[in-house]
Amino acid sequence: MAAEQGTQLSEAQIAVHWREENYYHPPAKFIGQANAADPAIFERFSEQRFPECFKEYADLLTWDAYWHTTLDTSNPPFWKWFVGGRLNASYNCVDRHLATSRNKAAFIWVPELETEETKAITYQELYRRVNEFAALLRDFCGVRVGDRVTFHLPMVPELPVSMLACARLGVVHSEVFGGFSGVACGERIADSGSHILVTMDGYYRNGELIDHKARADEAVAKARDLGAGVDKVLVWRRHPGQYASRSPMVPGRDFFVDDLLRDYRRTVVEPVSMPAEAPLFLMYTSGTTARPKGCQHSTGGYLAYVTGTSKYYQDIHPEDTYWCFADIGWITGHSYIVYGPLSLGTTSVMYEGVPAYPDPGRPWRIAERLGVTIFHTAPTTIRMLRKLGPDEPPKYDYHFKHMTTVGEPIEPDVWRWYHDVVGKGEAVIVDTWWQTENGGFLGSTLPALKPMKPGSCGPGVLGVYPVIYDENGAVVEAGSGRAGNICIRNPWPGIFQTIWGQPERFVQIYYEKYCRNKQSKDWRDWPYFAGDGAVQAADGYFRILGRVDDVINVAGHRLGTKELESASLTVEEIAEAAAVPVMDELRGRAVEMYVSVKPGVAPSRAIEEKVAKAIETEIGKIARPKNIWIVPDMPKTRSGKIMRRVIAAISNFTDVGDTTTLANPGVVDDIRHHVQAEKVGRGEVPRKLSPQEIEEIKAFGRAE
Ligand code: PRX
């Protein structure tokens, strides 16, 4: 049976050896203008000043009522920040900038097709659009404070407009990544109990207009199967007035937003003054079990945290043009495209499409054209742009002062290309480690004040005190070369409040493991378990090794093995399924599925394709496995547990280890010969793996 977070970290405690990388120092020009350039800031955020240090972040916001208690720990681990305070997130991101910056672009939206015009949306226009859509939600849909509204929207300005409209009303939004399937969206609708779905007819991806509305129909059907009714589907049109989908509009249920908005022209909706502790949004993510977790984020703590970290770690100044090349459907986009930057009154670039469309010079053309000064993306995008266009960046006249990497470990070699070629040696880099659950950065260098080290995220960020524990809760010392579970010793304002509807799992997954005393109301007894393996070097910098809970990080997307396996088992011919990670040059990790068929069923390509389709239908195209292997039997322990580490080793051409204790050791060689011969034939032999990657494979499946 799967233990929620049981990690046999004895395996990860094995010494991890790697070459320590040399430091890179921030350019003097960057230091000269940085928001945080005085080392006294470390003192201000020292542990002795906790939790009051976070007043510095909260004071960046406009409060309707100031708080009386910075951190309330009376009901651990349900921490409450800025208690007594009231504010509105939409007011903070939009209205308060009007007096000084109404004509400044809040977003510069770049459509994927280069033949379409770039659109600038000023703070004034954003204000109008947010108010009008808020009026529609309130008056046409009847949503009220605390209700949930689900979005299934791509990278279009209508997404931040929809988010801010909900925030204005005190309504909780739940955006499902546009690339997820209709079924995945339907599950999240049902889990959150929303009755309204906001979607779009279509959007461009790789030059193709995707029929997105069709997924809304699947989502509503899935939600209905799960006992949840969707009353209204609001459909934005990619080209207002023209419907781009082939799926019919359902009378009485489906409505074109551009039509409805005519009735709300010029309507102004007073921002609802919300308690700091009111939920702002849900963001679903994967873990050990098949059911996705709705991470509930707060209004005051979250907004303070993303605003403060945007200022100090993203180093955003009023004159910057900031481009976070991520999807708003993930936490990175919520925190560092929408809430943090808008709260600071930033001009942000939003790009609809894929990185290399129509060619790998595209991002650098956008940067040149718009004068981007701050660039933020994931290692996957960097690897892809390097592979497809290693010599493209110097052809374009742009100059970044600051760059971010987020979401996956970055190989030092890729880091150096990012620094030397993309950044032209002029930009400082922050490698930011954090998670959907965290709201904002947890580990990063403070860009003007700490040197960079390729492959390491750096120390804990201001006011966040990480520690590495072994399985028994003993501290693994910095510089010991031993890995363990990275935890955060203290609460911080961006931490999520709970898993929507599952408070027991929230406590169990994130706090039970290292809680020292369940009766204690002292935060020091409740370290946060992040679910990542890590090593701390002697200089205090952390290197993140990856998940310890059988989540596979594909191109920065968290995919739960259980979700992949239960999707495969929806195919009637399949008896058993196991998902494992395989090293992938571009995506970091890819998924390989091993399946066995029921008695009497003959293996075939058609069955493999059915499994791939089932995964696309249940989760989305991003989860499509690299390979599906139909095997005669799975390697199993005598108690019948599938040994995922053994098949993971086969897929990655590493040592399968001791298999003598298996119930069916003979099957291992059969599978290995078959799979590896096929892979050799397809040219899929991986490069030599690092000791760290070998450890990851060895440890895979330990969460069971
Ligand atoms: O394993 C860590 C990895 O991504 C996981 C979190 O994924 P998600 O919740 O989707 O959030 C991604 C964007 C914040 C982590 O548990 N991860 C994230 N950032 C880094 C990282 N691994 C190494 N280095 C990073 N900078």
Side-chain angles (χ1 to χ4, degrees):
M1 222 194 85
E4 278 289 342
Q5 87 252 12
T7 54
Q8 301 304 312
L9 251 202
S10 49
E11 285 158 274
Q13 285 163 19
I14 299 164
V16 178
H17 300 286
W18 67 73
R19 195 165 60 86
E20 271 297 318
E21 298 289 331
N22 293 329
Y23 288 131
Y24 283 60
H25 292 275
K29 198 168 157 198
F30 176 83
I31 298 173
Q33 58 81 67
N35 282 329
D38 177 357
I41 198 167
F42 294 119
E43 178 54 31
R44 297 207 299 278
F45 282 86
S46 65
E47 205 169 332
Q48 292 68 38
R49 302 272 170 94
F50 179 85
E52 297 306 323
C53 55
F54 284 113
K55 179 178 183 310
E56 186 163 337
Y57 284 2
D59 281 345
L60 296 170
L61 305 181
T62 305
W63 294 81
D64 305 330
Y66 213 62
W67 65 92
H68 50 71
T69 306
T70 305
L71 173 63
D72 172 350
T73 63
S74 60
N75 182 24
F78 300 91
W79 317 119
K80 293 196 172 103
W81 283 91
F82 310 123
V83 182
R86 298 188 80 92
L87 77 168
N88 182 279
S90 160
Y91 177 88
N92 272 277
C93 290
V94 187
D95 306 37
R96 67 169 174 156
H97 305 310
L98 297 180
T100 54
S101 318
R102 73 171 62 234
N103 296 323
K104 179 176 176 176
F107 287 111
I108 305 177
W109 181 66
V110 183
E112 193 188 64
L113 301 185
E114 278 185 299
T115 48
E116 266 191 77
E117 287 292 323
T118 292
K119 283 190 194 144
I121 297 158
T122 63
Y123 276 93
Q124 168 65 28
E125 185 179 356
L126 186 62
Y127 170 78
R128 284 281 179 213
R129 294 190 64 180
V130 167
N131 273 277
E132 289 168 5
F133 192 60
L136 188 163
L137 285 173
R138 184 189 61 190
D139 300 342
F140 183 72
C141 300
V143 294
R144 295 286 173 265
V145 170
D147 288 350
R148 279 79 54 212
V149 170
T150 299
F151 309 152
H152 196 198
L153 288 169
M155 279 294 283
V156 288
E158 288 73 12
L159 174 48
V161 166
S162 304
M163 290 164 71
L164 294 163
C166 284
R168 201 165 187 86
L169 298 168
V171 164
V172 180
H173 59 74
S174 171
E175 154 72 358
V176 178
F177 170 55
F180 271 145
S181 67
V183 169
C185 179
E187 281 166 2
R188 287 155 178 79
I189 292 173
D191 189 83
S192 64
S194 38
H195 299 290
I196 309 291
L197 172 63
V198 183
T199 188
M200 184 163 247
D201 58 345
Y203 62 97
Y204 285 94
R205 201 127 195 105
N206 269 316
E208 192 193 326
L209 187 58
I210 306 274
D211 185 344
H212 190 61
K213 162 65 168 59
R215 294 182 188 151
D217 299 325
E218 290 158 16
V220 172
K222 179 70 189 181
R224 195 190 314 115
D225 288 351
L226 295 169
V230 173
D231 303 332
K232 290 191 171 63
V233 177
L234 303 181
V235 184
W236 291 97
R237 282 189 279 197
R238 175 65 175 69
H239 302 284
Q242 298 168 40
Y243 186 43
S245 167
R246 278 198 296 275
S247 101
M249 295 288 280
V250 176
R253 187 198 75 179
D254 299 352
F255 303 91
F256 290 129
V257 178
D258 52 313
D259 284 349
L260 297 176
L261 277 175
R262 279 191 216 111
D263 294 340
Y264 298 94
R265 253 190 76 200
R266 287 192 296 270
T267 313
V268 169
V269 173
E270 274 308 302
V272 178
S273 187
M274 298 298 292
E277 273 308 292
L280 179 62
F281 67 87
L282 304 181
M283 170 65 64
Y284 281 84
T285 192
S286 298
T288 304
T289 57
R291 183 173 166 196
K293 309 176 277 192
C295 297
Q296 177 185 317
H297 284 280
S298 73
T299 305
Y302 170 82
L303 195 63
Y305 197 67
V306 297
T307 307
T309 49
S310 292
K311 178 170 175 188
Y312 292 142
Y313 286 90
Q314 296 294 290
D315 199 59
I316 297 173
H317 293 251
E319 62 279 13
D320 280 313
T321 302
Y322 167 85
W323 183 13
C324 175
F325 192 176
D327 198 294
I328 298 177
W330 303 111
I331 192 72
T332 300
H334 274 48
S335 300
Y336 296 112
I337 299 179
V338 180
Y339 286 112
L342 289 182
S343 168
L344 289 177
T346 311
T347 295
S348 269
V349 177
M350 227 184 119
Y351 172 55
E352 177 182 32
V354 300
Y357 184 83
D359 60 71
R362 182 70 189 281
W364 322 128
R365 276 204 293 289
I366 294 172
E368 173 186 89
R369 176 83 169 259
L370 303 178
V372 173
T373 50
I374 306 179
F375 185 69
H376 183 152
T377 198
T380 292
T381 307
I382 305 168
R383 287 185 214 109
M384 180 196 287
L385 291 168
R386 179 194 191 196
K387 180 166 169 128
L388 299 176
D391 304 320
E392 288 300 305
K395 296 182 189 162
Y396 297 90
D397 179 22
Y398 68 83
H399 297 277
F400 297 149
K401 68 166 193 183
H402 181 292
M403 303 194 300
T404 299
T405 164
V406 60
E408 309 156 69
I410 183 165
E411 301 76 0
D413 189 39
V414 176
W415 191 99
R416 279 187 282 271
W417 184 77
Y418 196 37
H419 179 269
D420 299 348
V421 182
V422 175
K424 305 179 179 181
E426 301 166 335
V428 74
I429 296 181
V430 289
D431 179 345
T432 57
W433 166 69
W434 58 297
Q435 315 168 304
T436 307
E437 293 88 336
N438 310 148
F441 306 144
L442 289 183
S444 169
T445 49
L446 194 55
L449 291 170
K450 292 272 182 193
M452 306 160 248
K453 191 160 71 174
S456 288
C457 67
V461 297
L462 295 168
V464 166
Y465 320 118
V467 61
I468 298 180
Y469 290 129
D470 69 11
E471 260 326 277
N472 306 316
V475 173
V476 177
E477 294 299 334
S480 66
R482 285 193 305 128
N485 289 317
I486 187 164
C487 295
I488 310 297
R489 289 194 289 112
N490 63 305
W492 64 98
I495 181 68
F496 70 138
Q497 300 176 295
T498 188
I499 300 175
W500 180 259
Q502 303 181 74
E504 322 74 40
R505 275 189 77 204
F506 169 73
V507 179
Q508 188 201 351
I509 296 174
Y510 300 97
Y511 293 97
E512 208 149 72
K513 189 172 178 68
Y514 291 117
C515 179
R516 288 189 198 94
N517 170 9
K518 283 200 173 158
Q519 307 316 315
S520 171
K521 303 211 182 300
D522 184 342
W523 57 262
R524 290 168 194 80
D525 289 321
W526 293 87
Y528 167 82
F529 172 74
D532 274 326
V535 185
Q536 190 176 25
D539 60 8
Y541 281 33
F542 293 95
R543 183 178 283 229
I544 305 300
L545 304 175
R547 305 287 312 179
V548 296
D549 60 356
D550 290 358
V551 161
I552 305 179
N553 190 334
V554 178
H557 301 158
R558 265 164 77 169
L559 300 175
T561 47
K562 284 283 179 303
E563 286 166 70
L564 292 155
E565 291 162 8
S566 44
S568 308
L569 291 170
T570 62
V571 176
E572 58 170 344
E573 291 89 342
I574 300 301
E576 286 182 309
V580 296
V582 62
M583 301 299 154
D584 186 272
E585 207 195 325
L586 289 182
R587 291 176 291 172
R589 305 286 175 273
V591 173
E592 292 206 352
M593 287 305 304
Y594 284 72
V595 294
S596 63
V597 288
K598 288 180 182 159
V601 177
S604 67
R605 279 245 174 264
I607 293 179
E608 285 174 27
E609 191 47 37
K610 269 191 172 179
V611 171
K613 272 270 163 294
I615 290 173
E616 283 186 13
T617 307
E618 297 290 315
I619 305 174
K621 278 209 166 61
I622 44 161
R624 192 182 168 97
K626 183 166 185 168
N627 288 306
I628 294 162
W629 307 111
I630 302 182
V631 294
D633 195 9
M634 299 280 185
K636 286 191 192 132
T637 59
R638 296 214 169 90
S639 59
K641 191 173 91 113
I642 299 176
M643 290 301 282
R644 287 180 180 73
R645 72 168 170 80
V646 172
I647 45 184
I650 293 174
S651 276
N652 289 283
F653 289 77
T654 56
D655 181 9
V656 293
D658 181 11
T659 56
T660 52
T661 57
L662 295 187
N664 51 354
V667 78
V668 175
D669 274 344
D670 293 350
I671 299 177
R672 186 172 52 205
H673 288 140
H674 168 66
V675 167
Q676 295 188 345
E678 280 279 329
K679 282 180 156 250
V680 169
R682 295 179 198 175
E684 283 182 19
V685 182
R687 59 175 163 73
K688 192 170 173 314
L689 303 191
S690 69
Q692 208 171 306
E693 289 167 334
I694 293 171
E695 287 311 320
E696 180 186 325
I697 301 302
K698 267 198 205 159
F700 195 74
R702 68 190 161 203
E704 298 241 349

